[in-house]
Amino acid sequence: MNLSISEQLTYSTVRIECQYADGNSGTGTGFFFRLLENKETGTNIPVVITNKHVINGAIKGRLLFTKAKSNNEPNDREHFNAYFDDFESWWRKHPDPQVDLCAMPIAPFLIEAEKRNEKLFFIPLDMSLLPTQEQLDQISALEEILMIGYPNGIWDSANNKPIFRKGVTATNPNLDYNGKKEFMIDAACFPGSSGSPVFIFNEGGYRDKKGNTYLGANRVILMGVLYAGPQHTTTGEIRIIDVPTSQRPIAVSTIPNNLGLVIKSDRITELEKLFK
């Protein structure tokens, strides 16, 4: 299997479909991740990570996996549905109510697929993609970013593939925006993008903040998870609104301004305590 880095990333996310207790439905984005990975023993806990507000109040849910061929390569046109009742209860939520992250262990569903002689294909992210201090020292205030997800629920349903969106950092990712472990991006953040992983992504070369050029080098850094964005109301007030999972109306008419708030990826490490 010879997949480019960007092709590999298309197998790192999963479309989350929810039916809520109020009768509405919506979609969000999740991504596969390996928690508590022990490279010596080869053990880890595979999970899907998304925002709490994606699954809050969800009574039913669906995740759609890509199947694998007998040679363990992806079979893009063949899919495996995982359906859930009482969907919200499957997720373990970050203990801080102000941190909009949660994770669901998926090992039981992988085992169930094996019992049905089904092989599933996905490429999980892991801790090695979180920024090191050396990488943070190289990052400038203005960097190109890549966001992967399902804006407005849009996806390639035939091949079970997400949508790439590009943008730039709108605040310095080395600083905590408004004192929180967050930063802001300038990118189109639509309903369904909640839970999208946000990367600094360069293929074939990049330049660091000191002007050093790395020709032919690749850079993939998981910087965080999209969860909200500032919007202004028709009365001129600025509000921070969770990126919705659907086009459901909210109480006050708001207008998005193509800015998104991203939870810094080091918060992902705090989810591990939920699985120890």
Side-chain angles (χ1 to χ4, degrees), residues 136 138-143 168-178 180 182-185 200 209 223 264:
L136 290 173
Q138 294 180 338
I139 289 173
S140 180
L142 181 65
E143 295 279 357
V168 295
T169 54
T171 64
N172 190 333
N174 276 311
L175 301 178
D176 289 345
Y177 180 73
N178 279 341
K180 298 181 179 180
E182 300 174 358
F183 67 97
M184 191 172 287
I185 58 173
I200 288 178
K209 71 176 182 180
M223 296 300 296
K264 289 187 175 181

PDB file of all heavy atoms in Angstrom, residues 136 138-143 168-178 180 182-185 200 209 223 264:
ATOM      1  N   LEU A 136       7.111  23.577  18.447  1.00  0.00           N
ATOM      2  CA  LEU A 136       6.443  24.809  18.850  1.00  0.00           C
ATOM      3  C   LEU A 136       7.372  26.008  18.727  1.00  0.00           C
ATOM      4  O   LEU A 136       6.947  27.111  18.373  1.00  0.00           O
ATOM      5  CB  LEU A 136       5.926  24.685  20.284  1.00  0.00           C
ATOM      6  CG  LEU A 136       4.749  23.729  20.504  1.00  0.00           C
ATOM      7  CD1 LEU A 136       4.442  23.573  21.991  1.00  0.00           C
ATOM      8  CD2 LEU A 136       3.506  24.188  19.755  1.00  0.00           C
ATOM      9  N   GLN A 138       9.496  26.427  16.492  1.00  0.00           N
ATOM     10  CA  GLN A 138       9.643  26.748  15.072  1.00  0.00           C
ATOM     11  C   GLN A 138       8.391  27.372  14.469  1.00  0.00           C
ATOM     12  O   GLN A 138       8.446  27.971  13.403  1.00  0.00           O
ATOM     13  CB  GLN A 138       9.989  25.483  14.277  1.00  0.00           C
ATOM     14  CG  GLN A 138      11.351  24.883  14.586  1.00  0.00           C
ATOM     15  CD  GLN A 138      11.617  23.634  13.758  1.00  0.00           C
ATOM     16  OE1 GLN A 138      10.684  22.993  13.270  1.00  0.00           O
ATOM     17  NE2 GLN A 138      12.875  23.293  13.591  1.00  0.00           N
ATOM     18  N   ILE A 139       7.267  27.221  15.163  1.00  0.00           N
ATOM     19  CA  ILE A 139       5.992  27.661  14.610  1.00  0.00           C
ATOM     20  C   ILE A 139       5.859  29.177  14.704  1.00  0.00           C
ATOM     21  O   ILE A 139       6.148  29.785  15.747  1.00  0.00           O
ATOM     22  CB  ILE A 139       4.830  26.964  15.341  1.00  0.00           C
ATOM     23  CG1 ILE A 139       4.786  25.480  14.962  1.00  0.00           C
ATOM     24  CG2 ILE A 139       3.495  27.624  15.014  1.00  0.00           C
ATOM     25  CD1 ILE A 139       3.792  24.675  15.764  1.00  0.00           C
ATOM     26  N   SER A 140       5.402  29.773  13.624  1.00  0.00           N
ATOM     27  CA  SER A 140       5.186  31.204  13.593  1.00  0.00           C
ATOM     28  C   SER A 140       3.753  31.537  14.006  1.00  0.00           C
ATOM     29  O   SER A 140       2.910  30.648  14.145  1.00  0.00           O
ATOM     30  CB  SER A 140       5.463  31.738  12.188  1.00  0.00           C
ATOM     31  OG  SER A 140       5.255  33.132  12.117  1.00  0.00           O
ATOM     32  N   ALA A 141       3.477  32.814  14.202  1.00  0.00           N
ATOM     33  CA  ALA A 141       2.121  33.231  14.546  1.00  0.00           C
ATOM     34  C   ALA A 141       1.146  32.952  13.406  1.00  0.00           C
ATOM     35  O   ALA A 141      -0.029  32.654  13.638  1.00  0.00           O
ATOM     36  CB  ALA A 141       2.101  34.714  14.897  1.00  0.00           C
ATOM     37  N   LEU A 142       1.636  33.031  12.171  1.00  0.00           N
ATOM     38  CA  LEU A 142       0.796  32.795  10.992  1.00  0.00           C
ATOM     39  C   LEU A 142       1.276  31.539  10.292  1.00  0.00           C
ATOM     40  O   LEU A 142       2.378  31.513   9.740  1.00  0.00           O
ATOM     41  CB  LEU A 142       0.860  33.991  10.039  1.00  0.00           C
ATOM     42  CG  LEU A 142       0.005  33.885   8.769  1.00  0.00           C
ATOM     43  CD1 LEU A 142      -1.474  33.842   9.111  1.00  0.00           C
ATOM     44  CD2 LEU A 142       0.299  35.047   7.824  1.00  0.00           C
ATOM     45  N   GLU A 143       0.455  30.502  10.334  1.00  0.00           N
ATOM     46  CA  GLU A 143       0.781  29.216   9.710  1.00  0.00           C
ATOM     47  C   GLU A 143      -0.418  28.739   8.904  1.00  0.00           C
ATOM     48  O   GLU A 143      -1.568  29.007   9.259  1.00  0.00           O
ATOM     49  CB  GLU A 143       1.117  28.159  10.763  1.00  0.00           C
ATOM     50  CG  GLU A 143       2.362  28.425  11.584  1.00  0.00           C
ATOM     51  CD  GLU A 143       3.642  28.020  10.865  1.00  0.00           C
ATOM     52  OE1 GLU A 143       3.545  27.468   9.741  1.00  0.00           O
ATOM     53  OE2 GLU A 143       4.730  28.238  11.428  1.00  0.00           O
ATOM     54  N   VAL A 168      -5.683  29.496   7.767  1.00  0.00           N
ATOM     55  CA  VAL A 168      -4.471  29.927   8.461  1.00  0.00           C
ATOM     56  C   VAL A 168      -4.804  30.116   9.942  1.00  0.00           C
ATOM     57  O   VAL A 168      -5.967  30.225  10.327  1.00  0.00           O
ATOM     58  CB  VAL A 168      -3.920  31.248   7.884  1.00  0.00           C
ATOM     59  CG1 VAL A 168      -3.465  31.049   6.436  1.00  0.00           C
ATOM     60  CG2 VAL A 168      -4.939  32.379   7.985  1.00  0.00           C
ATOM     61  N   THR A 169      -3.758  30.150  10.755  1.00  0.00           N
ATOM     62  CA  THR A 169      -3.959  30.494  12.156  1.00  0.00           C
ATOM     63  C   THR A 169      -4.351  31.968  12.237  1.00  0.00           C
ATOM     64  O   THR A 169      -3.767  32.821  11.572  1.00  0.00           O
ATOM     65  CB  THR A 169      -2.675  30.256  12.964  1.00  0.00           C
ATOM     66  OG1 THR A 169      -1.576  30.951  12.355  1.00  0.00           O
ATOM     67  CG2 THR A 169      -2.345  28.765  13.022  1.00  0.00           C
ATOM     68  N   ALA A 170      -5.350  32.252  13.037  1.00  0.00           N
ATOM     69  CA  ALA A 170      -5.804  33.631  13.210  1.00  0.00           C
ATOM     70  C   ALA A 170      -5.231  34.256  14.479  1.00  0.00           C
ATOM     71  O   ALA A 170      -5.217  35.474  14.614  1.00  0.00           O
ATOM     72  CB  ALA A 170      -7.328  33.682  13.252  1.00  0.00           C
ATOM     73  N   THR A 171      -4.795  33.406  15.418  1.00  0.00           N
ATOM     74  CA  THR A 171      -4.038  33.858  16.576  1.00  0.00           C
ATOM     75  C   THR A 171      -2.814  32.964  16.709  1.00  0.00           C
ATOM     76  O   THR A 171      -2.763  31.865  16.144  1.00  0.00           O
ATOM     77  CB  THR A 171      -4.869  33.795  17.879  1.00  0.00           C
ATOM     78  OG1 THR A 171      -5.196  32.424  18.168  1.00  0.00           O
ATOM     79  CG2 THR A 171      -6.149  34.612  17.753  1.00  0.00           C
ATOM     80  N   ASN A 172      -1.836  33.426  17.441  1.00  0.00           N
ATOM     81  CA  ASN A 172      -0.589  32.672  17.612  1.00  0.00           C
ATOM     82  C   ASN A 172      -0.871  31.374  18.363  1.00  0.00           C
ATOM     83  O   ASN A 172      -1.308  31.408  19.523  1.00  0.00           O
ATOM     84  CB  ASN A 172       0.409  33.533  18.393  1.00  0.00           C
ATOM     85  CG  ASN A 172       1.807  32.936  18.410  1.00  0.00           C
ATOM     86  OD1 ASN A 172       1.972  31.723  18.303  1.00  0.00           O
ATOM     87  ND2 ASN A 172       2.804  33.777  18.553  1.00  0.00           N
ATOM     88  N   PRO A 173      -0.627  30.215  17.753  1.00  0.00           N
ATOM     89  CA  PRO A 173      -0.925  28.950  18.430  1.00  0.00           C
ATOM     90  C   PRO A 173      -0.030  28.681  19.633  1.00  0.00           C
ATOM     91  O   PRO A 173      -0.306  27.774  20.421  1.00  0.00           O
ATOM     92  CB  PRO A 173      -0.713  27.899  17.325  1.00  0.00           C
ATOM     93  CG  PRO A 173       0.162  28.548  16.325  1.00  0.00           C
ATOM     94  CD  PRO A 173      -0.142  30.012  16.365  1.00  0.00           C
ATOM     95  N   ASN A 174       1.041  29.457  19.780  1.00  0.00           N
ATOM     96  CA  ASN A 174       1.897  29.305  20.951  1.00  0.00           C
ATOM     97  C   ASN A 174       1.344  30.038  22.170  1.00  0.00           C
ATOM     98  O   ASN A 174       1.862  29.865  23.279  1.00  0.00           O
ATOM     99  CB  ASN A 174       3.305  29.815  20.642  1.00  0.00           C
ATOM    100  CG  ASN A 174       4.160  28.768  19.958  1.00  0.00           C
ATOM    101  OD1 ASN A 174       4.223  27.631  20.412  1.00  0.00           O
ATOM    102  ND2 ASN A 174       4.802  29.128  18.869  1.00  0.00           N
ATOM    103  N   LEU A 175       0.326  30.847  21.960  1.00  0.00           N
ATOM    104  CA  LEU A 175      -0.300  31.566  23.065  1.00  0.00           C
ATOM    105  C   LEU A 175      -1.655  30.947  23.384  1.00  0.00           C
ATOM    106  O   LEU A 175      -2.299  30.362  22.513  1.00  0.00           O
ATOM    107  CB  LEU A 175      -0.477  33.044  22.706  1.00  0.00           C
ATOM    108  CG  LEU A 175       0.796  33.823  22.356  1.00  0.00           C
ATOM    109  CD1 LEU A 175       0.460  35.253  21.973  1.00  0.00           C
ATOM    110  CD2 LEU A 175       1.792  33.798  23.516  1.00  0.00           C
ATOM    111  N   ASP A 176      -2.080  31.079  24.624  1.00  0.00           N
ATOM    112  CA  ASP A 176      -3.400  30.600  25.035  1.00  0.00           C
ATOM    113  C   ASP A 176      -4.406  31.722  24.819  1.00  0.00           C
ATOM    114  O   ASP A 176      -4.394  32.733  25.547  1.00  0.00           O
ATOM    115  CB  ASP A 176      -3.399  30.162  26.498  1.00  0.00           C
ATOM    116  CG  ASP A 176      -2.618  28.875  26.723  1.00  0.00           C
ATOM    117  OD1 ASP A 176      -2.326  28.183  25.726  1.00  0.00           O
ATOM    118  OD2 ASP A 176      -2.294  28.578  27.888  1.00  0.00           O
ATOM    119  N   TYR A 177      -5.263  31.564  23.831  1.00  0.00           N
ATOM    120  CA  TYR A 177      -6.223  32.606  23.475  1.00  0.00           C
ATOM    121  C   TYR A 177      -7.163  32.870  24.645  1.00  0.00           C
ATOM    122  O   TYR A 177      -7.810  31.955  25.158  1.00  0.00           O
ATOM    123  CB  TYR A 177      -7.011  32.177  22.234  1.00  0.00           C
ATOM    124  CG  TYR A 177      -8.045  33.177  21.777  1.00  0.00           C
ATOM    125  CD1 TYR A 177      -7.659  34.361  21.157  1.00  0.00           C
ATOM    126  CD2 TYR A 177      -9.402  32.948  21.978  1.00  0.00           C
ATOM    127  CE1 TYR A 177      -8.609  35.286  20.747  1.00  0.00           C
ATOM    128  CE2 TYR A 177     -10.357  33.855  21.561  1.00  0.00           C
ATOM    129  CZ  TYR A 177      -9.947  35.030  20.952  1.00  0.00           C
ATOM    130  OH  TYR A 177     -10.889  35.944  20.551  1.00  0.00           O
ATOM    131  N   ASN A 178      -7.210  34.108  25.074  1.00  0.00           N
ATOM    132  CA  ASN A 178      -8.044  34.529  26.207  1.00  0.00           C
ATOM    133  C   ASN A 178      -7.785  33.686  27.459  1.00  0.00           C
ATOM    134  O   ASN A 178      -8.692  33.446  28.261  1.00  0.00           O
ATOM    135  CB  ASN A 178      -9.529  34.491  25.848  1.00  0.00           C
ATOM    136  CG  ASN A 178      -9.963  35.726  25.069  1.00  0.00           C
ATOM    137  OD1 ASN A 178      -9.286  36.751  25.090  1.00  0.00           O
ATOM    138  ND2 ASN A 178     -11.083  35.627  24.374  1.00  0.00           N
ATOM    139  N   LYS A 180      -7.154  30.538  27.742  1.00  0.00           N
ATOM    140  CA  LYS A 180      -7.543  29.129  27.663  1.00  0.00           C
ATOM    141  C   LYS A 180      -6.600  28.384  26.725  1.00  0.00           C
ATOM    142  O   LYS A 180      -5.965  28.989  25.870  1.00  0.00           O
ATOM    143  CB  LYS A 180      -8.983  29.005  27.158  1.00  0.00           C
ATOM    144  CG  LYS A 180     -10.022  29.643  28.058  1.00  0.00           C
ATOM    145  CD  LYS A 180     -11.423  29.446  27.479  1.00  0.00           C
ATOM    146  CE  LYS A 180     -12.483  30.061  28.365  1.00  0.00           C
ATOM    147  NZ  LYS A 180     -13.854  29.861  27.806  1.00  0.00           N
ATOM    148  N   GLU A 182      -6.460  27.223  23.939  1.00  0.00           N
ATOM    149  CA  GLU A 182      -7.147  27.321  22.655  1.00  0.00           C
ATOM    150  C   GLU A 182      -6.395  28.302  21.766  1.00  0.00           C
ATOM    151  O   GLU A 182      -5.595  29.107  22.234  1.00  0.00           O
ATOM    152  CB  GLU A 182      -8.586  27.816  22.843  1.00  0.00           C
ATOM    153  CG  GLU A 182      -9.457  26.944  23.715  1.00  0.00           C
ATOM    154  CD  GLU A 182     -10.829  27.541  24.002  1.00  0.00           C
ATOM    155  OE1 GLU A 182     -11.101  28.668  23.542  1.00  0.00           O
ATOM    156  OE2 GLU A 182     -11.613  26.888  24.704  1.00  0.00           O
ATOM    157  N   PHE A 183      -6.651  28.228  20.474  1.00  0.00           N
ATOM    158  CA  PHE A 183      -6.226  29.256  19.541  1.00  0.00           C
ATOM    159  C   PHE A 183      -7.297  29.376  18.467  1.00  0.00           C
ATOM    160  O   PHE A 183      -8.223  28.561  18.403  1.00  0.00           O
ATOM    161  CB  PHE A 183      -4.839  28.955  18.940  1.00  0.00           C
ATOM    162  CG  PHE A 183      -4.785  27.742  18.041  1.00  0.00           C
ATOM    163  CD1 PHE A 183      -4.877  27.867  16.662  1.00  0.00           C
ATOM    164  CD2 PHE A 183      -4.617  26.466  18.572  1.00  0.00           C
ATOM    165  CE1 PHE A 183      -4.818  26.766  15.830  1.00  0.00           C
ATOM    166  CE2 PHE A 183      -4.546  25.345  17.744  1.00  0.00           C
ATOM    167  CZ  PHE A 183      -4.653  25.506  16.370  1.00  0.00           C
ATOM    168  N   MET A 184      -7.182  30.388  17.641  1.00  0.00           N
ATOM    169  CA  MET A 184      -8.221  30.648  16.651  1.00  0.00           C
ATOM    170  C   MET A 184      -7.670  30.454  15.249  1.00  0.00           C
ATOM    171  O   MET A 184      -6.487  30.712  14.982  1.00  0.00           O
ATOM    172  CB  MET A 184      -8.751  32.081  16.815  1.00  0.00           C
ATOM    173  CG  MET A 184     -10.007  32.377  16.021  1.00  0.00           C
ATOM    174  SD  MET A 184     -10.710  34.009  16.427  1.00  0.00           S
ATOM    175  CE  MET A 184     -11.394  33.661  18.045  1.00  0.00           C
ATOM    176  N   ILE A 185      -8.528  29.963  14.358  1.00  0.00           N
ATOM    177  CA  ILE A 185      -8.145  29.794  12.956  1.00  0.00           C
ATOM    178  C   ILE A 185      -9.076  30.621  12.075  1.00  0.00           C
ATOM    179  O   ILE A 185     -10.214  30.907  12.439  1.00  0.00           O
ATOM    180  CB  ILE A 185      -8.198  28.310  12.517  1.00  0.00           C
ATOM    181  CG1 ILE A 185      -9.605  27.712  12.720  1.00  0.00           C
ATOM    182  CG2 ILE A 185      -7.139  27.497  13.240  1.00  0.00           C
ATOM    183  CD1 ILE A 185      -9.771  26.312  12.150  1.00  0.00           C
ATOM    184  N   ILE A 200      -1.206  21.598  11.330  1.00  0.00           N
ATOM    185  CA  ILE A 200      -0.251  22.293  10.473  1.00  0.00           C
ATOM    186  C   ILE A 200       0.270  21.226   9.520  1.00  0.00           C
ATOM    187  O   ILE A 200       0.785  20.194   9.956  1.00  0.00           O
ATOM    188  CB  ILE A 200       0.886  22.924  11.281  1.00  0.00           C
ATOM    189  CG1 ILE A 200       0.366  24.141  12.045  1.00  0.00           C
ATOM    190  CG2 ILE A 200       2.040  23.325  10.380  1.00  0.00           C
ATOM    191  CD1 ILE A 200       1.416  24.815  12.919  1.00  0.00           C
ATOM    192  N   LYS A 209       9.845  29.981  11.531  1.00  0.00           N
ATOM    193  CA  LYS A 209       9.690  31.407  11.829  1.00  0.00           C
ATOM    194  C   LYS A 209      11.024  32.158  11.790  1.00  0.00           C
ATOM    195  O   LYS A 209      11.030  33.389  11.730  1.00  0.00           O
ATOM    196  CB  LYS A 209       9.003  31.597  13.170  1.00  0.00           C
ATOM    197  CG  LYS A 209       9.820  31.243  14.394  1.00  0.00           C
ATOM    198  CD  LYS A 209       9.015  31.575  15.645  1.00  0.00           C
ATOM    199  CE  LYS A 209       9.781  31.288  16.915  1.00  0.00           C
ATOM    200  NZ  LYS A 209       8.979  31.612  18.126  1.00  0.00           N
ATOM    201  N   MET A 223      -2.568  20.059  15.796  1.00  0.00           N
ATOM    202  CA  MET A 223      -2.579  21.226  16.660  1.00  0.00           C
ATOM    203  C   MET A 223      -3.796  21.281  17.577  1.00  0.00           C
ATOM    204  O   MET A 223      -3.748  21.897  18.639  1.00  0.00           O
ATOM    205  CB  MET A 223      -2.516  22.501  15.825  1.00  0.00           C
ATOM    206  CG  MET A 223      -1.222  22.648  15.024  1.00  0.00           C
ATOM    207  SD  MET A 223       0.260  22.697  16.064  1.00  0.00           S
ATOM    208  CE  MET A 223      -0.002  24.194  17.006  1.00  0.00           C
ATOM    209  N   LYS A 264      -6.534  23.110  22.036  1.00  0.00           N
ATOM    210  CA  LYS A 264      -5.174  22.643  21.786  1.00  0.00           C
ATOM    211  C   LYS A 264      -5.063  21.142  22.034  1.00  0.00           C
ATOM    212  O   LYS A 264      -5.678  20.586  22.951  1.00  0.00           O
ATOM    213  CB  LYS A 264      -4.181  23.408  22.653  1.00  0.00           C
ATOM    214  CG  LYS A 264      -4.001  24.853  22.228  1.00  0.00           C
ATOM    215  CD  LYS A 264      -2.887  25.532  23.004  1.00  0.00           C
ATOM    216  CE  LYS A 264      -2.650  26.938  22.474  1.00  0.00           C
ATOM    217  NZ  LYS A 264      -1.547  27.614  23.210  1.00  0.00           N
TER     218      LYS A 264
END
